[in-house]
Amino acid sequence: MNDYEKKARELVKKMTLDEKIGMIHGDGLFVTKGVPRLGIPPFVFSDGPCGVRQDFAKKEWKAASYTKDRVSYLPCNSAVAATWNRSLAKKTGKVLGEEARGRGKDMILAPGVNIKRSPLCGRNFEYFSEDPYLTGELASSLIDGIQRNDVAACVKHFAVNNQETDRWDVDTIVDRQTLDEIYFPPFRKAVDRGADAVMGAYNLLNSEHCCHSHFLLDEVLRGEWSFDGTVVSDWGGVRNTEEAALTSVDVEMSVYNNFDDYYMASPMKKLVQDGRIREQEIDKKVIHILVMMQKLHMLPGQKRKAGNYDTVSHQKKLLRTAEESIVLLKNKNDVLPLDINPGEKILLIGENADRTHAPRGGSAEIKALYEITPLLGLSAGLGGNNQVDYLPGYISGTDEAAQEAAWQAFSLGGDAASRQGIMTSDDIERINEKLCEEAMRVAPQYDHVIFIGGLNHAEDQEGHDRKDMSLPYGQPELISKLLTVCPGMIVVLIGGNPVEMDPWVDDAKALIWMYYNGMEGGKALAEVLTGKVNPSGHLPVTFYKKLSDCSAHRIGEFGKKGRVEYKERDLVGYRYLLEEGIEPQFPFGYGLSYTSFQISDITRSGNTVTFSVANTGERDGSCVIQIYRDHPGRKYHQLCGFTKVKVPAGGHIQAEITAEAPDIAELYIGEDCVRCSKID
Ligand code: BGC
């Protein structure tokens, strides 16, 4: 028994049952009760993965409306994954931890490490990848960064929370081998690398509620993985008092204001008083919490680190992450980077050129100190000698400004809904036709035309899955038409999930993908467009040609209510495509650069691979080298190692990757899951 546990046990002995119960359930939306007479403070939680969430009234979902809770807005976890850079993930985590501590929080409810099983899941922007190794590596680096600041990270949502449809009640049926190969490894790695807390998921796994599943929490998490940290329920995720008492969930957090009626509040106390549950069961939970509090230096006599938020240093770090997350998907004839001469005129078309994303998406929403849009980033970066204009080209009708615009446009003759500022889909279609005509007419007058569209948090949102993978709001037609009048138009898509790229993708010369990229996202994009930064992001997911190429959809087992069976087993994402020989639009791991690289002198000793990377172009650049291994009994190979290296123009460097694979595994090396070759 270590000193923290000894002290925790001593404290528990002095506590009344009421005091213990106060520590194991929410006394407000984001806080539990402390025990002031013993010097134990209340414990304060906050979302989430994109920064520290705004404050709410203690017991109501009512924004506190302060100015003091404006914070740094981080690139979402998918963007962090697209960097393929562990050190940046750690630095990003450090920013999050410092901001959380600066805001007086004890636990940040991040990161989310659920596997992206389908490109329709509304929360995918909060998650990293379809691949367990990439997710585990970057999430654990991020957690390491967070926890440097006397703040606990809470890895969520344990487990298989891969769809939002019916998220409170859906029973996910997954066999043990699939759990071990695909869905568990990121959680396991987070635990092995010292995550202080784990959050249970809302859904059921094999008919047990995850928040008090004996299999998940007792057998796997505490048993097989020896997790000795704290297990927190998702908000409102506990559904049974007795099961919660007897399994390893330590804290129940809730969403409504009858906090004392919740399962682990008065009903739990009554079970103990009636002799149906031993008080020691409660003690175990309190001990976990008290050990964590000591690790965070929260108890009297301990010296706790101070945090900070909204610092210039945070902004700089987030810019770096944003820059490295941008993925160049096409660049025919090297049309990028743009060569913009003084006096040339630039036109940005598309709602995402002038739209902020921070304040939406669900619990990952952020009240950002600022958010640089692409329009602002490009205008500010060009130095005033160029005219930069913006045309919407389309509207999504999903924000107040657009609603207002619609009201203006239709106030003289629209229907009743549009007069009240609520647009119908017919209204949006009619407006979009006009906006398309306008863009087609105006665009040819410009020297450079950049389309910046994609998704927004009306699609990528907690509690909701997309219906299909199409690019919404008439964008496919708009892009196709614009490419006929401006064949050199650059296409930039922003979003949290892949979209179909038919029928325009073959016609577009240049294509950039950017995830929701934080407060400096627009600046980072401008730097990539103009060549100040050489892109080095790689896709952390497969971009399918069509939805039915994704295994979960092929078998019709996604987004159903009641019960979803993971019959595709381990054939998730690129594994399925490689197994079946299906061609993706863009493969997992893919990403271009303004220069090119060549790998040579590959040697292998056990599971360590050494090689040389040459930069054969004229710009300095960073390259992501990936190692895959074979999978016994399957045709596919799976990611088991990677490194990101910076190589100066014309130069070369030596690098080494230790693969997470047995010595006897076949290994492959390359720049994505398709362009890789077997190591002899
Ligand atoms: C979400 C969690 C979040 C919690 C607190 C839940 O609805 O699933 O991810 O941390 O709310 O806001």
Side-chain angles (χ1 to χ4, degrees):
M1 192 187 304
N2 64 29
D3 287 351
Y4 287 164
E5 201 183 321
K6 222 186 274 164
K7 167 97 181 165
R9 286 182 185 279
E10 279 164 22
L11 281 168
V12 164
K13 276 197 203 128
K14 297 181 189 157
M15 287 166 69
T16 65
L17 179 59
D18 274 326
E19 285 169 339
K20 294 175 192 171
I21 294 285
M23 287 188 69
I24 63 166
H25 79 279
D27 176 44
L29 293 172
F30 289 101
V31 67
T32 56
K33 269 190 192 141
V35 186
R37 73 179 181 90
L38 298 176
I40 303 170
F43 194 87
V44 183
F45 306 79
S46 176
D47 286 301
C50 299
V52 189
R53 197 177 181 184
Q54 65 178 329
D55 286 326
F56 290 90
K58 186 176 174 194
K59 300 201 179 216
E60 264 185 283
W61 292 101
K62 208 171 128 208
S65 297
Y66 300 137
T67 52
K68 67 169 184 171
D69 55 0
R70 292 194 173 282
V71 291
S72 297
Y73 166 40
L74 276 60
C76 65
N77 283 338
S78 305
V80 173
T83 69
W84 291 66
N85 185 331
R86 295 177 182 86
S87 138
L88 277 189
K90 184 169 166 183
K91 285 181 184 156
T92 309
K94 191 141 188 295
V95 170
L96 185 54
E98 274 174 15
E99 297 237 340
R101 191 74 285 282
R103 288 271 310 280
K105 312 297 181 189
D106 303 312
M107 180 185 291
I108 188 85
L109 305 169
V113 300
N114 295 102
I115 291 296
K116 302 190 196 203
R117 178 174 175 253
S118 152
L120 302 191
C121 173
R123 294 190 86 170
N124 274 355
F125 72 99
E126 293 187 54
Y127 304 146
F128 291 80
S129 171
E130 68 191 23
D131 180 82
Y133 179 77
L134 183 63
T135 301
E137 286 298 296
L138 293 177
S140 53
S141 305
L142 192 101
I143 290 166
D144 188 15
I146 292 174
Q147 296 194 162
R148 300 271 153 148
N149 309 282
D150 286 350
V151 166
C154 182
V155 55
K156 66 190 189 183
H157 310 85
F158 192 52
V160 289
N161 187 176
N162 312 104
Q163 71 173 46
E164 290 299 283
T165 306
D166 199 24
R167 66 172 174 158
W168 293 75
D169 295 305
V170 68
D171 191 3
T172 49
I173 309 298
V174 195
D175 64 85
R176 179 68 207 252
Q177 191 179 340
T178 302
L179 290 171
D180 284 337
E181 288 181 12
I182 305 289
Y183 298 98
F184 281 169
F187 288 100
R188 171 91 203 241
K189 200 166 269 179
V191 164
D192 286 349
R193 303 231 179 132
D196 287 327
V198 171
M199 183 193 290
Y202 282 139
N203 51 283
L204 292 86
L205 171 63
N206 298 330
S207 308
E208 271 189 337
H209 280 284
C210 291
C211 283
H212 34 83
S213 152
H214 172 67
F215 165 69
L216 271 181
L217 303 184
D218 304 329
E219 283 181 26
V220 176
L221 185 65
R222 299 255 190 236
E224 295 172 22
W225 303 353
S226 308
F227 178 66
D228 58 1
T230 301
V231 178
V232 183
S233 78
D234 198 344
W235 270 229
V238 172
R239 309 286 277 272
N240 180 300
T241 302
E242 202 156 341
E243 285 180 18
L246 295 175
T247 56
S248 292
V249 56
D250 299 311
V251 186
E252 177 191 24
M253 296 305 290
S254 340
V255 283
Y256 301 115
N257 61 6
N258 52 335
F259 295 98
D260 286 336
D261 299 337
Y262 267 84
Y263 299 89
M264 287 173 65
S266 308
M268 182 82 86
K269 179 176 161 190
K270 188 149 189 318
L271 280 188
V272 177
Q273 284 170 332
D274 291 352
R276 289 170 55 199
I277 293 290
R278 294 175 315 141
E279 193 161 341
Q280 287 97 304
E281 302 296 344
I282 315 294
D283 293 354
K284 280 195 224 160
K285 301 178 192 300
V286 178
I287 288 167
H288 287 141
I289 300 166
L290 285 170
V291 168
M292 173 176 67
M293 285 181 142
Q294 291 173 83
K295 277 194 194 161
L296 303 178
H297 302 119
M298 291 177 68
L299 293 193
Q302 294 190 295
K303 194 167 160 23
R304 195 171 192 188
K305 283 185 189 155
N308 53 53
Y309 59 112
D310 295 331
T311 65
V312 174
S313 139
H314 287 180
Q315 293 152 17
K316 280 191 183 151
K317 288 190 179 115
L318 299 183
L319 175 62
R320 279 291 312 285
T321 305
E323 288 167 350
E324 286 207 20
S325 79
I326 295 173
V327 188
L328 179 64
L329 293 175
K330 276 190 88 175
N331 194 17
K332 216 168 158 191
N333 307 335
D334 292 337
V335 287
L336 282 173
L338 293 172
D339 189 9
I340 302 175
N341 297 311
E344 285 185 336
K345 294 196 307 180
I346 298 122
L347 178 64
L348 304 192
I349 304 174
E351 202 182 67
N352 276 341
D354 195 27
R355 184 185 178 116
T356 56
H357 298 280
R360 282 165 189 246
S363 58
E365 65 176 8
I366 292 300
K367 194 160 144 189
L369 179 64
Y370 62 80
E371 179 180 347
I372 299 183
T373 62
L375 178 60
L376 174 57
L378 200 66
S379 307
L382 282 176
N385 290 333
N386 297 90
Q387 181 181 329
V388 184
D389 291 331
Y390 165 69
L391 281 180
Y394 72 89
I395 52 160
S396 57
T398 52
D399 63 6
E400 281 111 45
Q403 299 284 0
E404 180 63 15
W407 183 86
Q408 297 284 348
F410 285 88
S411 59
L412 301 171
D415 59 24
S418 62
R419 250 180 252 126
Q420 287 161 18
I422 302 162
M423 278 189 284
T424 63
S425 49
D426 282 352
D427 291 340
I428 296 175
E429 218 171 285
R430 266 180 296 157
I431 293 172
N432 282 347
E433 268 171 36
K434 288 200 180 121
L435 292 175
C436 175
E437 277 166 29
E438 182 192 25
M440 299 261 298
R441 185 167 32 81
V442 174
Q445 300 160 21
Y446 283 78
D447 301 294
H448 303 278
V449 180
I450 308 168
F451 178 84
I452 305 184
L455 304 174
N456 57 52
H457 282 307
E459 285 87 25
D460 294 316
Q461 196 185 63
E462 181 174 337
H464 156 102
D465 294 318
R466 278 191 302 163
K467 298 259 171 310
D468 56 45
M469 215 177 72
S470 63
L471 182 58
Y473 321 128
Q475 292 177 81
E477 296 76 18
L478 174 63
I479 298 173
S480 298
K481 285 185 176 171
L482 284 169
L483 283 169
T484 63
V485 293
C486 294
M489 180 176 83
I490 311 296
V491 180
V492 177
L493 295 180
I494 298 174
N497 261 316
V499 290
E500 270 167 25
M501 296 184 176
D502 250 7
W504 49 269
V505 69
D506 290 338
D507 298 329
K509 290 201 171 58
L511 174 61
I512 285 178
W513 174 261
M514 179 164 106
Y515 284 107
Y516 302 115
N517 217 357
M519 63 201 304
E520 295 281 342
K523 183 171 182 187
L525 179 62
E527 289 174 342
V528 165
L529 286 166
T530 56
K532 187 166 174 225
V533 164
N534 190 352
S536 64
H538 283 241
L539 292 180
V541 291
T542 302
F543 273 38
Y544 302 100
K545 284 196 167 154
K546 50 185 194 312
L547 189 59
S548 57
D549 290 343
C550 165
S551 54
H553 293 278
R554 178 68 58 94
I555 59 172
E557 286 291 331
F558 176 85
K560 293 192 325 186
K561 289 192 177 161
R563 182 185 156 98
V564 177
E565 233 178 294
Y566 287 33
K567 289 185 196 147
E568 76 284 9
R569 308 193 67 201
D570 55 323
L571 296 176
V572 175
Y574 68 90
R575 288 164 162 77
Y576 177 62
L577 268 59
L578 292 176
E579 190 74 8
E580 296 294 322
I582 301 169
E583 218 183 280
Q585 187 71 61
F586 296 104
F588 171 83
Y590 182 78
L592 301 173
S593 161
Y594 294 150
T595 185
S596 48
F597 303 98
Q598 209 169 5
I599 311 169
S600 63
D601 304 326
I602 304 160
T603 56
R604 171 179 179 182
S605 159
N607 61 354
T608 301
V609 181
T610 40
F611 51 92
S612 161
V613 186
N615 180 339
T616 51
E618 282 157 21
R619 282 170 188 268
D620 297 352
S622 291
C623 171
V624 175
I625 306 295
Q626 302 158 36
I627 303 278
Y628 293 82
R629 54 160 291 199
D630 63 335
H631 186 106
R634 295 287 198 196
K635 282 184 251 160
Y636 69 76
H637 44 261
Q638 66 192 61
L639 187 74
C640 63
F642 64 89
T643 187
K644 191 168 198 176
V645 288
K646 198 167 179 187
V647 194
H652 70 276
I653 57 123
Q654 300 291 328
E656 180 180 293
I657 296 174
T658 300
E660 198 171 88
D663 285 0
I664 50 157
E666 275 180 6
L667 296 183
Y668 300 75
I669 186 165
E671 289 182 65
D672 61 55
C673 77
V674 174
R675 284 185 306 164
C676 60
S677 43
K678 200 164 148 194
I679 303 172
D680 295 325

